[in-house]
Amino acid sequence: MSRTDAAPGLPPTAALLPVTVDVVGLTVRAGVLQVLLVRRLLEPFAGALALPGGFVLPDETLEAAAARELAEETGVAPPGHLEQLRTYGPLDRDPRGPVVSVAHLLLAPAFGLPAAGGDAVEVAWHDVGPLLSRGGGGRTLAFDHERILADGVERARAKLEYSALATAFCGPEFTVADLRAVYEAVWDVQLDPRNFHRKATGTPGFLEETGRTTSGGTGRPAALYRLAAAAQDPGAVVLNPPLMRPDA
Amino acid sequence: MSRTDAAPGLPPTAALLPVTVDVVGLTVRAGVLQVLLVRRLLEPFAGALALPGGFVLPDETLEAAAARELAEETGVAPPGHLEQLRTYGPLDRDPRGPVVSVAHLLLAPAFGLPAAGGDAVEVAWHDVGPLLSRGGGGRTLAFDHERILADGVERARAKLEYSALATAFCGPEFTVADLRAVYEAVWDVQLDPRNFHRKATGTPGFLEETGRTTSGGTGRPAALYRLAAAAQDPGAVVLNPPLMRPDA
DNA sequence: ACAAAAGTGTTTAGGTTACACCCATGT
DNA sequence: ACATGGGTGTAACCTAAACACTTTTGT
């Protein structure tokens, strides 16, 4: 590995390492938790599924790099909530040598992807369940991305309990049932609609009525809510008391 | 910044960055939360207090680098629990240029430090309170270490609620009062000794009686406990129900 | 009228808080 | 004997789980 002759001022013991960002992009579609994956075109792991990501450029922050890679690989500026997850490496990750990867977590509504099939990178939503079930056999994702995905899913599960991050999976306006579907998909549990409704609408600083209602579906129209206006970042909203996931 | 001509196989767009580890080393002494700080001898920020840390070597993991830097700067192999905190940078952190820093969190009993005063680095425990109070005026720590410290303290506070990490601040055997002192120092609250005792001893998978008791102090001797034997890593123990910190 | 989903009220069980009280030791 | 902290019991309160019930729409 090269030494720091290119970075004047740093001590000669400083090693330079390649730094990448990887993104665990989660969404809820059709009541199921899904993750954004790309098909790798190059070695190593050519043909395998992997998390979107790439190398950090010298003049950008880590979060900017994550957002840029997402935009490049999906073709759209991704909506939703982006936060840092944790950092992996640099050993035993990439057969080419030591690489540090700063993983990020994106929680977003199911946004459209450019029709896969051109010569662009193949990128699509995949159900999370089969990727994490240990019974499924060997490695299903490239590098250590299976572990990073597991860490990302666990982070998302934990954060739904005590923050307003579930709203990041919804559009700007949503019903209590929409929100409950997010909790049920991420936690993989069934929640009582009546108790959930009382808890969600009763938690101060969480939801705000828009005044509008849904129409067209079967059954009574539902009131539309948005994230409380005081909250800029849904990840910063502290739910007190928290919405606890069931033990089972 | 240099390109990756030294790392064959990596694409030419990959930038190499200096990667450091910094450690927020917390302990509880005399009922107060304290942090391990070093006095910087070199520019930048010569003379200022900083978190211990240094550059990652090319052939070690991030956690190994954190443990090595701690051992080098304190002169002893640090006990306690070490985990990754989060990653900062690379922009606007170091006047010498872009640097990525992977911060770690150490929770440990108050271990002895080599008598400061030789030609070694000056390293000592400092009260956390004054370093984080915003009223204290300007920057008290080098680089962005004040923010990293704040993040580390917040992480420690949160983890005491739902994990057995408070035991990492104690020695191998401790009384319930010792453990309560940890919670009171980290959370900066007063807890009811009777209710805390019931909660701590009644939480399954948390504490285990050694059979021994203290002696010598005033008052009735206290039973000595250790972390439940089933737990290898106190950070992995899930307290259910959690020990919640008071609202105030 | 009926089905379906939204939303409210009520009961009950379990956990937390506050505090009265007893226990075991040093002085 | 008394002070000091360790440890147990208990009643009031609070929250959440379970579920009966009402409301409002589409068909």
Side-chain angles (χ1 to χ4, degrees), chain A residues 14 17 84 86-87 240 247, chain B residues 14 17 55 84 86-87 240 247:
Chain A
L17 291 169
Q84 192 185 116
R86 73 166 282 154
T87 300
N240 198 348
D247 287 332
Chain B
L17 292 168
F55 288 91
Q84 192 185 115
R86 75 166 281 154
T87 299
N240 196 351
D247 286 331

Side-chain angles (χ1 to χ4, degrees), chain A residues 79-220:
Chain A
H81 168 88
L82 183 64
E83 69 174 43
Q84 192 185 116
L85 179 57
R86 73 166 282 154
T87 300
Y88 301 85
L91 267 31
D92 301 325
R93 294 195 63 247
D94 191 315
R96 292 169 292 183
V99 176
V100 170
S101 178
V102 184
H104 286 69
L105 182 62
L106 174 80
L107 308 182
F111 55 90
L113 300 169
D119 53 292
V121 193
E122 184 188 337
V123 53
W125 298 109
H126 294 257
D127 285 5
V128 165
L131 295 168
L132 291 185
S133 54
R134 282 280 155 273
R139 205 156 286 91
T140 58
L141 298 182
F143 305 105
D144 54 353
H145 288 186
E146 208 164 317
R147 192 208 157 171
I148 298 176
L149 172 60
D151 289 347
V153 169
E154 182 46 40
R155 168 78 65 90
R157 286 182 171 153
K159 279 221 158 186
L160 289 209
E161 286 195 337
Y162 57 88
S163 82
L165 269 185
T167 62
F169 287 107
C170 302
E173 296 194 358
F174 49 87
T175 67
V176 174
D178 293 336
L179 194 64
R180 177 166 48 86
V182 168
Y183 277 89
E184 291 184 329
V186 176
W187 286 348
D188 192 22
V189 294
Q190 291 273 106
L191 298 175
D192 184 301
R194 291 99 73 174
N195 289 336
F196 182 86
H197 185 279
R198 197 196 342 264
K199 195 75 193 295
T201 57
T203 298
F206 191 11
L207 301 183
E208 197 171 71
E209 261 183 293
T210 66
R212 277 193 294 287
T213 60
T214 57
S215 65
T218 173
R220 170 175 169 177

Side-chain angles (χ1 to χ4, degrees), chain B residues 92-192:
Chain B
D92 301 325
R93 294 195 62 246
D94 189 315
R96 291 169 293 182
V99 177
V100 170
S101 178
V102 184
H104 286 69
L105 182 62
L106 175 79
L107 309 182
F111 55 91
L113 300 170
D119 52 293
V121 194
E122 183 188 334
V123 52
W125 298 109
H126 294 257
D127 286 4
V128 165
L131 294 169
L132 291 185
S133 53
R134 283 281 155 274
R139 203 158 285 92
T140 57
L141 298 182
F143 304 106
D144 54 354
H145 288 186
E146 208 164 316
R147 193 213 158 163
I148 298 177
L149 172 61
D151 289 347
V153 169
E154 182 46 39
R155 168 78 66 90
R157 285 181 172 154
K159 280 220 157 187
L160 289 208
E161 286 195 336
Y162 56 88
S163 81
L165 269 185
T167 62
F169 287 107
C170 302
E173 297 194 358
F174 48 87
T175 68
V176 175
D178 293 336
L179 194 65
R180 178 166 48 86
V182 168
Y183 277 89
E184 291 184 330
V186 175
W187 286 348
D188 193 21
V189 294
Q190 290 274 104
L191 299 175
D192 185 301

Side-chain angles (χ1 to χ4, degrees), chain B residues 192 194-195 198-199 215-221 241-242:
Chain B
D192 185 301
R194 290 99 69 170
N195 290 334
R198 196 197 339 265
K199 194 73 194 295
S215 66
T218 173
R220 171 175 168 176

